[in-house]
Structure formats: C-alpha cells, structure tokens
Amino acid sequence: MTEDRWAAWLRRRRSGGDEEVETRTQEQLARMRDQILDNAGFEPGLSLLDVGCGNGLVAFGALERGAGRVVFADISESLLDECRSIAAELELLDRCVFVSSGADDLAAVPDGSVDVVTTRSVLIYVADLERAFAEFSRVLRPGGRISLFEPINSFGVEPRRRE
C-alpha cells in the first residue's frame, strides 16, 4: 500500500527527520493526550471513538487506561494499518475496531455505541462541521462525552492590535 500524505506528514514531515524535535513533540503530544482523556472523564471499561486517530496517540492512551473497546477512525488506510499492527503487537486487537472514515461520515459506527468521542487536530480539516458534530452525537450513548483538542492558529487572519 502506498503511503498517503497524512501518514507521510506524521512519520517524517512533522519533525523534519530531527530526532530531538520528534522527542520533544512526542512529550508534548503525550501531555495533550492525557488532557483529552482527563477532560472526557475517561475511566476503565468505557468505549472510545478516536476520530482522525492518526498514529493512535489518544486511542492507545485510552487502551492503557483500561478502555473496554476503542474505535480507531481515520481517512488514512496507511495509518489505520499501522495502528492495527501496533495493536496486534500489544495483543490488544480484541478491544479494537478500525474504521476508514472521515469525521463527517461515521456510518460504519453504530448509533449509540460509544461513551466518548475524541479528536486531536482534526476538525480544522473538516469542511462540514455541522455534519461531523451530528455524527458524533449519533454514535454517542446517552450521557456520552466529547473531548476535543483543536489548535488555534492565525493563518490568514490579520494580527490584532492592542490599544
């Protein structure tokens, strides 16, 4: 299978091949993962859907915390394959589901089937946010929670002047 642009970015371009940069990035991402799961009130036994799972940072964090079931969802088949391989190595496949889908079309995920929905740096790439949030709502069980981390940037925005 050929590598898509999302997999290439995560694997090489994010750190530019600099091991020190990659180490610092991984430390920062681990703190972000913990905050996402903490903000969701994630507890052992819960099920989680990680939308735009990438290399599985949040999803594997949930498994480490005792998730009953984790759904890895991403548009990158290459990254889903990588997550599947890691889950197999860790002998966690029985608690994992892998879904090829975008945030705005989670048809492969049954209604009311997860306790928590998470995203990390995904929604900035989604054109139809209303549909994405409708999908999140559809797949959540009653009382379910959403925990999002989305970067705020100023691309294309005029800087604000302080007066």
Side-chain angles (χ1 to χ4, degrees):
M1 172 175 281
T2 61
E3 184 176 64
D4 58 58
R5 68 181 177 150
W6 302 110
W9 186 83
L10 278 175
R11 292 177 181 147
R12 288 183 304 283
R13 292 183 60 216
R14 176 173 60 191
S15 64
D18 185 320
E19 289 184 33
E20 187 177 315
V21 169
E22 184 62 22
T23 298
R24 283 195 315 266
T25 299
Q26 290 302 319
E27 290 168 357
Q28 180 182 17
L29 290 172
R31 289 190 299 273
M32 188 185 308
R33 173 205 58 218
D34 292 343
Q35 184 177 3
I36 291 167
L37 293 170
D38 290 346
N39 288 346
F42 195 82
E43 300 172 352
L46 293 180
S47 59
L48 178 131
L49 165 61
D50 187 17
V51 178
C53 66
N55 59 4
L57 177 78
V58 175
F60 284 114
L63 288 163
E64 287 175 10
R65 290 185 180 202
R69 182 174 60 97
V70 172
V71 180
F72 294 72
D74 205 286
I75 61 172
S76 170
E77 288 289 341
S78 182
L79 290 171
L80 286 172
D81 288 344
E82 185 174 315
C83 289
R84 190 178 291 109
S85 293
I86 293 168
E89 287 174 23
L90 297 172
E91 298 182 355
L92 296 171
L93 280 176
D94 61 326
R95 295 168 43 205
C96 301
V97 176
F98 302 91
V99 174
S100 178
S101 68
D104 57 357
D105 184 7
L106 298 168
V109 182
D111 294 358
S113 62
V114 297
D115 298 300
V116 175
V117 172
T118 61
T119 69
R120 181 187 57 84
S121 302
V122 170
L123 297 176
I124 60 172
Y125 301 106
V126 176
D128 192 345
L129 290 173
E130 187 173 335
R131 183 161 177 209
F133 280 100
E135 285 289 88
F136 298 172
S137 179
R138 180 186 63 76
V139 301
L140 280 171
R141 290 187 175 116
R145 298 174 295 281
I146 298 173
S147 183
L148 314 172
F149 173 85
E150 294 297 326
I152 298 172
N153 65 49
S154 59
F155 299 133
V157 177
E158 298 267 338
R160 294 184 191 177
R161 290 188 349 215
R162 294 185 182 198
E163 297 183 32

